[in-house]
Amino acid sequence: MKLNIAVLPGDGIGPEVTAQAVKVLKAVAMEFNHLFTFQYGLIGASAIDKHNDPLPEETLSICKNADAILFGAIGTTAYDIDPNAKMRPEQGLLKLRKALDLFANIRPVIAYEELLNKASLKKSKVKDTNILIYRELTGGIYFGEKKLSDDGNEASDICAYTRQEIERITHPAFKAAQARRKKVTLVDKANVLESSRLWRRVVQEIAPQYPDVKLDYMFIDNAAMELIINPKQFDVLLTENMFGDILSEEAGVIVGSIGLLASASLGKDHAMFEPVHGSYSPATNKGIANPIASILSAAMLLDHFGLDDEAVRVRDGVGKSLKLHITTPDLNTKYDNISTTKVGDFIEDFINNPDETNLNFTNIHLGQSTII
């Protein structure tokens, strides 16, 4: 298969983790006889610095002409602490999602057996958790009208949704549930918000088209609590933009690190794959950023194009890296010298040698992945 992949490393640790995902995709292409080409573009703070635009037209053009987009992370501390900034890195990502109509964000939350002791929750609470979050991505408060009074003392952000926006994310969520445990939980705030009441009405109208799927409802505040108390109760979580953003970040405590959470953002004509975590500016260029979420996002890219064996190979490589403690410091207390790059090297080596690969621990400091 030939794929033209746009690569947007972004800011902070984005370039470091994205480089490992690209490394893994190149290994897949070589091992399975595919042709993957990569075109790079600037977005976020790096684009503002060079072009005074968080999403330059050149980058948007690269994305529109690509088969898929591999995204890193966006934002820097300088912008995070400045509420008066007129131009922000995040505007580039929001503009890209809107321009490509990437309305469906899919975020798997899987508790790995090897990491049950790393989670902030009790092992018995986390074990066997497997959740799929369907987050609407191009509507709601992030894209609604924003106002600031002339004196700067009053502000508002409108949360607006249309029936069509809700319908087109609801159908994929129910279809996904049909292939899983056949349960959808709609997360909203229908006791207070009119937009949430519209969500309930539309989802209730659609649900009978999927009679084998059970539909539950949960308010966002209760869902945030239940996600910690009993995450195993959930199968597919369906929710609006901001609620999905918050819940998927919270899910990091279930898996042991937000550095394990991957995502796909899909539209009718375009697809983007990115880790859930942010740019984590304090860790930039220190070699401690966990690249697994970015690598698992690359696996979701392979899934999207029906390259199932290839995606399984990548995930098996991730699984073995976790089993052997070939992980960055956020997960690793056994070895203190395994860097972002070394994790990528190990998974790359596994893809090429799945039955024989292992890491010669005496060579870890040399960054060598060796067949033994």
Side-chain angles (χ1 to χ4, degrees), residues 7 32 43 52 69 84 92 104 109 141 143 191 203 210 217 241 252 259 270 280 292 294 298 312 344 347 349:
V7 183
F32 291 87
I43 192 170
N52 197 36
I69 305 159
N84 297 313
V109 180
I141 199 168
F143 291 91
N191 57 335
V203 174
Y210 304 89
Y217 309 92
N241 205 341
H270 302 280
Y280 191 25
I292 288 179
S294 189
V312 168
I347 296 172
D349 187 55

Side-chain angles (χ1 to χ4, degrees), residues 28 50 89-90 101 107 172 176 195 208 227 234-235 244 268-269 287:
V28 167
K50 187 169 183 178
E90 293 79 8
D101 199 21
R107 299 186 168 188
S195 57
L227 192 60
F234 297 114
D235 181 18
K268 180 181 178 182
D269 300 312

Side-chain angles (χ1 to χ4, degrees), residues 2-6 63 65-69 269-271 273 304-305:
K2 294 182 179 180
L3 291 177
N4 175 27
I5 301 171
C63 293
N65 292 314
D67 296 305
I69 305 159
D269 300 312
H270 302 280
F273 304 87
H304 182 70
F305 291 99

Side-chain angles (χ1 to χ4, degrees), residues 61-113:
S61 177
I62 289 172
C63 293
K64 285 182 176 179
N65 292 314
D67 296 305
I69 305 159
L70 189 64
F71 185 87
I74 204 164
T76 65
T77 304
Y79 287 97
D80 291 343
I81 63 176
D82 182 7
N84 297 313
K86 299 300 182 184
M87 188 179 297
R88 310 189 69 85
E90 293 79 8
Q91 292 170 342
L93 179 56
L94 295 177
K95 183 179 176 182
L96 181 63
R97 289 171 176 169
K98 200 70 172 180
L100 302 182
D101 199 21
L102 302 173
F103 64 88
N105 184 242
I106 306 166
R107 299 186 168 188
V109 180
I110 300 171
Y112 290 90
E113 185 72 27

